[in-house]
Amino acid sequence: ATCVGGASPATTTVEAAGQTFANIAEGSEFTLLVPNGSDKFDANTAFVIGGVVECTIHLSCSAPIVAGDQIGPFIVLGKETCDAPGDCAVAGCLICDPDTKEFPDGSSRKPEELTFIYRSNGMDSLYQPDGKATCRAANVYPSSTVLTVEGQTFSVSDGDQFTVVASSDGFPAELDFSFDGGDSSCFIHASCSVPIIVGDQIGAFEVVGDSKSCLVCDDVCIKVDKNEYNCGEPITIDFDITTETDGLGQTGPLPSDWIGIYPCNVPYSDATFRFGIVNKYVCDQFTEGDQNRCSLDDITYPSGTVVIDRLPAYGEVGPYIWPVTGFNEAGVVNNRFKAVIMRDDGPSVPPYIPICQSDCFTIIPDATTQECEVRDNPVELNPTVATPFCFPGDAIVDVEGQGKVSMKDIRLGDKVLTDNTYETVYSFGHRNEAATAEFVKLVTAATSLDLSKDHLVYVNGAAVPASIVKVGDSLQLADGSLSPVRSIKTSIKKGVYAPFTASGAIVVNGVKASTFIAFQESATIHVAGVNTGLTFQLAALIFEFPHRMYCLHLSSCDTETYTTEGVSTWVNAGHKMFLWLFAQNFAVVATTIALMAVVCSSIRIQSIQKKL
């Protein structure tokens, strides 16, 4: 879908599939019909907004169409359904919700039975909020128990599947689960006033399917060997896609196919789902790395067994760090994953097509840090850049009109989220795709951030170098809230990038950071032990002023030069100047700082005059 986030007119005209809808305003509903003379929508149906903007939505069902999903400015209400009775259950399969309580023929979608997998490691539902379901992640669930549901009894342990059958009157709105004869209980919502979706885990109960729209499959095309793994334990996967169809008419294997490990409760439509915890191409043998794609002669594999050992990072081979906490949902660690056979839909860029997926399984993180760090490949990957001023290539940035984008894919002219606004990337202080470097890794309950030790990050409202951040300090998130640091580690990662914005700020992995660095382990410049009060953030903004003005107003700076390490020639000169300055005597440093303070005051006075 090319319909993505961004500003849309408050009132407009929408044209799609040969139909025109006038006076569409915020909250307006409209129903799109299959074009005359056709029995289906175009796979990529074009929507023209206001006669100017055109974007597409995928309507061929090779990607999920789920009620409640927002695709660009359009929210799917689901008056009809793509779920044909008799289809096997897949994650994201909608059983029912407030807008889809009936099939197209008018028959009820309300479930007459529900199949679950018991998971003692509880999770909060992505679709059933607190109050609609009291089965929550915070509850304590026994590893084995006797459940009583609707008068039916089930003896279950972790990973066991069971099916609850409704009475002749259907399920109650609050479907109660009683543990061990009534010692404790909780309920989920089963009346369809909130979504019931396959793959969602509601407390201890993962939804597997029903008896109508999302039937439970006994024979799946990909399976893992266990329900639960310790951090770093190999995962054995059996698969067979001999008869699987990808939704584009292709049956059987293709050179682009891979098996990936993905978060269990993240929808395919989420940007996060583009990046697996690990993926390897599938051929007659499993190959690693981004350069070893299968050739046409290699596709002899339609079934087999593979072992994913120790989980390397997406698209890379080497001692990269894989954190479970990279896929937090609202501060809750997501340690539930699935194996998915994926396929390119085009020239190796999203969207990707899920061919089939395994049941969800658990990877147990460290009890203290609630994360799992795994090193793969005995060959050490040594940093090739001694002094990086940057973020790694796999850091995530919010780009206007594109959504979540990897740092390595940011380009000059992109507008990135900084602090409640989007600003143009006018230059890179550091950019080297091939380099590897050592980073400080700051981990909170909400996210984690890798950055060079001298790089400035906003802690308790002030920009400080990462090297002085302590456990318990609070990182400033994109929405202005604070998230305490739970652990601090080091990582070695590929790619070094430092995009520059006008304000000198950028939001990375959901954390507000600076685009600049410090030359001392302090937020402010010290001279002979005296705190000048001038912050490194402000000093860098002053130094960058002519460069910033030139790039934003006189030239695109797309031809600026870099050193062999990928450092901007301008930034490299400034770096050397500051290193020279701090090696001088007190008088020289103090005079320079005073001049910078005068420049700073001048800039502030001009800014105030403009506002007046």
Side-chain angles (χ1 to χ4, degrees):
T2 60
C3 295
V4 294
S8 296
T11 303
T12 188
T13 298
V14 176
E15 300 171 65
Q19 300 151 66
T20 300
F21 306 91
N23 300 318
I24 297 295
E26 180 77 20
S28 295
E29 290 187 19
F30 63 95
T31 300
L32 192 64
L33 302 176
V34 170
N36 290 332
S38 177
D39 61 352
K40 61 182 180 180
F41 289 109
D42 289 340
N44 294 309
T45 296
F47 287 72
V48 179
I49 303 171
V52 179
V53 178
E54 179 175 319
C55 63
T56 60
I57 297 178
H58 207 75
L59 297 180
S60 73
C61 299
S62 62
I65 306 172
V66 179
D69 187 24
Q70 181 167 349
I71 312 171
F74 307 111
I75 297 177
V76 180
L77 295 183
K79 300 299 184 184
E80 301 263 347
T81 175
C82 285
D83 295 327
D87 285 351
C88 289
V90 295
C93 178
L94 176 66
I95 294 175
C96 66
D97 73 355
D99 293 309
T100 51
K101 294 181 180 179
E102 294 182 346
F103 288 108
D105 64 4
S107 60
S108 174
R109 286 181 63 98
K110 289 188 176 182
E112 296 173 357
E113 61 181 53
L114 287 170
T115 299
F116 302 92
I117 295 177
Y118 180 72
R119 309 289 189 188
S120 62
N121 184 17
M123 294 184 67
D124 286 336
S125 167
L126 293 180
Y127 305 98
Q128 300 206 0
D130 193 9
K132 288 291 186 179
T134 59
C135 296
R136 315 299 297 174
N139 299 1
V140 177
Y141 302 102
S143 58
S144 297
T145 186
V146 176
L147 291 172
T148 302
V149 192
E150 284 292 272
Q152 302 155 60
T153 301
F154 309 93
S155 180
V156 295
S157 299
D158 248 330
D160 286 348
Q161 184 170 294
F162 62 98
T163 299
V164 182
V165 180
S167 68
S168 58
D169 296 327
F171 284 117
E174 296 178 354
L175 182 60
D176 190 76
F177 292 76
S178 177
F179 297 82
D180 289 328
D183 288 347
S184 61
S185 66
C186 64
F187 64 81
I188 71 170
H189 211 79
S191 72
C192 300
S193 62
V194 291
I196 306 173
I197 293 181
V198 170
D200 188 30
Q201 185 172 332
I202 314 168
F205 309 106
E206 178 186 339
V207 181
V208 176
D210 66 342
S211 59
K212 292 183 177 181
S213 58
C214 302
L215 298 186
V216 180
C217 300
D218 295 324
D219 185 23
V220 295
C221 62
I222 183 169
K223 299 178 181 179
V224 295
D225 60 325
K226 296 171 63 176
N227 294 322
E228 185 174 272
Y229 300 87
N230 291 314
C231 178
E233 186 178 356
I235 300 172
T236 300
I237 301 170
D238 293 318
F239 67 94
D240 185 347
I241 66 166
T242 306
T243 60
E244 297 299 320
T245 301
D246 63 7
L248 300 179
Q250 171 68 38
T251 300
L254 286 179
S256 65
D257 295 348
W258 71 86
I259 289 180
I261 303 297
Y262 289 85
C264 213
N265 276 355
V266 176
Y268 290 121
S269 58
D270 193 288
T272 307
F273 201 79
R274 300 176 184 177
F275 308 105
I277 298 299
V278 55
N279 75 88
K280 295 181 179 180
Y281 286 111
V282 184
C283 301
D284 54 335
Q285 56 183 335
F286 230 35
T287 57
E288 295 184 339
D290 202 31
Q291 304 304 315
N292 296 326
R293 171 178 281 212
C294 310
S295 70
L296 286 172
D297 295 334
D298 291 328
I299 33 180
T300 60
Y301 70 86
S303 64
T305 298
V306 296
V307 177
I308 291 185
D309 186 13
R310 300 184 66 79
L311 301 172
Y314 172 82
E316 304 290 349
V317 179
Y320 289 86
I321 286 178
W322 166 69
V324 172
T325 48
F327 294 95
N328 281 3
E329 293 291 335
V332 178
V333 175
N334 181 4
N335 60 352
R336 300 276 294 150
F337 297 93
K338 56 193 172 189
V340 187
I341 297 182
M342 299 287 283
R343 175 168 295 171
D344 290 343
D345 179 9
S348 191
V349 293
Y352 301 131
I353 303 172
I355 305 299
C356 61
Q357 65 174 34
S358 72
D359 287 339
C360 295
F361 55 87
T362 299
I363 297 178
I364 302 173
D366 179 85
T368 302
T369 64
Q370 285 297 294
E371 67 175 8
C372 172
E373 292 187 349
V374 181
R375 301 241 170 193
D376 180 65
N377 193 331
V379 179
E380 284 298 324
L381 180 65
N382 296 315
T384 58
V385 176
T387 312
F389 324 126
C390 52
F391 304 97
D394 64 356
I396 300 297
V397 181
D398 192 333
V399 179
E400 187 176 42
Q402 299 182 48
K404 301 292 188 293
V405 175
S406 294
M407 185 70 72
K408 63 183 176 62
D409 296 323
I410 299 297
R411 298 292 180 263
L412 290 179
D414 285 347
K415 290 191 174 183
V416 298
L417 184 63
T418 56
D419 189 5
N420 296 321
T421 189
Y422 289 90
E423 296 181 16
T424 300
V425 174
Y426 68 83
S427 178
F428 283 89
H430 205 167
R431 184 181 179 92
N432 190 328
E433 298 177 3
T436 54
E438 183 173 289
F439 298 90
V440 175
K441 184 182 189 67
L442 306 176
V443 180
T444 77
T447 186
S448 63
L449 177 66
D450 298 270
L451 70 172
S452 55
K453 66 183 181 65
D454 295 330
H455 211 101
L456 297 168
V457 60
Y458 282 84
V459 175
N460 300 323
V464 306
S467 60
I468 68 171
V469 177
K470 304 182 298 297
V471 171
D473 288 345
S474 292
L475 302 185
Q476 183 174 331
L477 302 184
D479 61 3
S481 63
L482 300 177
S483 186
V485 175
R486 297 168 59 168
S487 65
I488 300 175
K489 302 179 182 295
T490 59
S491 63
I492 299 175
K493 291 198 168 191
K494 186 176 181 180
V496 289
Y497 303 85
F500 280 179
T501 64
S503 67
I506 187 170
V507 172
V508 181
N509 287 12
V511 177
K512 183 182 178 183
S514 170
T515 61
F516 303 129
I517 65 169
F519 293 88
Q520 298 170 333
E521 291 194 341
S522 168
T524 55
I525 297 173
H526 289 67
V527 179
V530 177
N531 186 351
T532 66
L534 180 64
T535 66
F536 280 102
Q537 177 71 12
L538 186 54
L541 279 170
I542 295 170
F543 171 78
E544 262 294 295
F545 180 76
H547 184 214
R548 183 166 60 250
M549 292 300 101
Y550 179 78
C551 292
L552 287 174
H553 302 292
L554 298 178
S555 170
S556 64
C557 282
D558 56 358
T559 59
E560 63 182 354
T561 58
Y562 296 84
T563 69
T564 55
E565 286 196 343
V567 180
S568 159
T569 304
W570 171 270
V571 171
N572 190 52
H575 184 226
K576 290 181 177 179
M577 183 194 78
F578 273 101
L579 291 178
W580 172 86
L581 177 63
F582 288 118
Q584 306 309 304
N585 60 44
F586 178 83
V588 173
V589 178
T591 300
T592 304
I593 297 299
L595 289 172
M596 293 182 73
V598 171
V599 173
C600 175
S601 299
S602 175
I603 293 173
R604 285 180 173 174
I605 290 170
Q606 290 178 16
S607 175
I608 292 171
Q609 288 176 339
K610 285 181 179 180
K611 289 180 180 179
L612 292 175

